[in-house]
Amino acid sequence: MKRVLIFGSKGVIGRQLVKECMVKFGPNSLTLPAKSDNSWDIVNSKSVSELIEGGKPDLIFNSAVSYEENFSEAVSVNVIGSQNILESVHRLGLKARVILIGSAAEYGNVSAQENPIPETRVLKPYSIYGMTKALQTSLAHFYAPLGVDVIVARLFNISG
């Protein structure tokens, strides 16, 4: 049985991940940390590491997000939170696949003539959210050569 850990399971994307993972892997395979109970905090490296070490997940989704235009808040959740996950997986030597939820906002303004956007396009975010998501992608590029199985799913046109 696969063990799945989903950060941000209460958000728009997280709720859909929960539904899909319950169907694919079964309800007993899921760990859904809830920020409201103060038992974990994605910006606290110790609590993230303990959660990952205790659950030994095979698959980790990070859909926890801050859309705040407050730079410190956005960096804390979108960058530091992701770094805590990636560093824990690396330090523990886990073979878990980590899927970080990216964003089209990483590309910045794109003209109609530039579509479709190739993944090789230079990232030019114009918002704090886009900038922090681009930093999250940079973390994935940093940890992948260190042996962390990490994927960035850069999503477009989310509604919910």
Side-chain angles (χ1 to χ4, degrees), residues 87 90 95 140-149:
E87 180 60 27
H90 172 63
K95 296 301 173 194
H141 290 295
F142 177 80
Y143 278 94
L146 297 177
V148 177
D149 183 6

Side-chain angles (χ1 to χ4, degrees), residues 1-59:
M1 174 177 77
K2 288 245 187 216
R3 293 176 307 274
V4 181
L5 173 58
I6 302 175
F7 289 94
S9 62
K10 303 290 185 199
V12 172
I13 295 167
R15 288 191 309 266
Q16 294 305 312
L17 284 170
V18 169
K19 287 179 189 175
E20 293 298 319
C21 288
M22 285 183 75
V23 169
K24 184 164 185 161
F25 304 116
N28 294 331
S29 66
L30 299 179
T31 300
L32 308 172
K35 187 174 182 178
S36 62
D37 69 7
N38 295 321
S39 64
W40 75 276
D41 184 351
I42 197 165
V43 301
N44 181 309
S45 61
K46 183 179 179 201
S47 64
V48 170
S49 184
E50 288 172 354
L51 185 62
I52 291 172
E53 187 172 22
K56 295 187 178 35
D58 301 297
L59 184 58

Side-chain angles (χ1 to χ4, degrees), residues 4-15 17-18 21 31-33 35 40-43 48 51-52 57 59-67 74-87 89 97-103 106 129 132-133 135-137 139-140 149-155:
V4 181
L5 173 58
I6 302 175
F7 289 94
S9 62
K10 303 290 185 199
V12 172
I13 295 167
R15 288 191 309 266
L17 284 170
V18 169
C21 288
T31 300
L32 308 172
K35 187 174 182 178
W40 75 276
D41 184 351
I42 197 165
V43 301
V48 170
L51 185 62
I52 291 172
L59 184 58
I60 301 170
F61 288 97
N62 183 17
S63 65
V65 64
S66 171
Y67 298 105
V75 166
S76 292
V77 176
N78 301 342
V79 182
I80 302 301
S82 296
Q83 193 270 334
N84 286 339
I85 293 167
L86 293 167
E87 180 60 27
V89 169
R97 171 164 279 177
V98 179
I99 301 175
L100 303 175
I101 305 300
S103 172
E106 296 175 56
Y129 169 72
T132 59
K133 285 303 199 172
L135 288 169
Q136 176 184 276
T137 294
L139 283 171
D149 183 6
V150 58
I151 295 172
V152 176
R154 195 171 288 140
L155 306 181

Side-chain angles (χ1 to χ4, degrees), residues 85-128:
I85 293 167
L86 293 167
E87 180 60 27
S88 293
V89 169
H90 172 63
R91 186 181 51 74
L92 295 168
L94 293 180
K95 296 301 173 194
R97 171 164 279 177
V98 179
I99 301 175
L100 303 175
I101 305 300
S103 172
E106 296 175 56
Y107 291 118
N109 288 324
V110 177
S111 68
Q113 295 79 20
E114 294 177 282
N115 283 307
I117 304 169
E119 288 188 31
T120 55
R121 184 180 192 275
V122 174
L123 302 178
K124 298 178 185 177
Y126 61 89
S127 67
I128 290 173

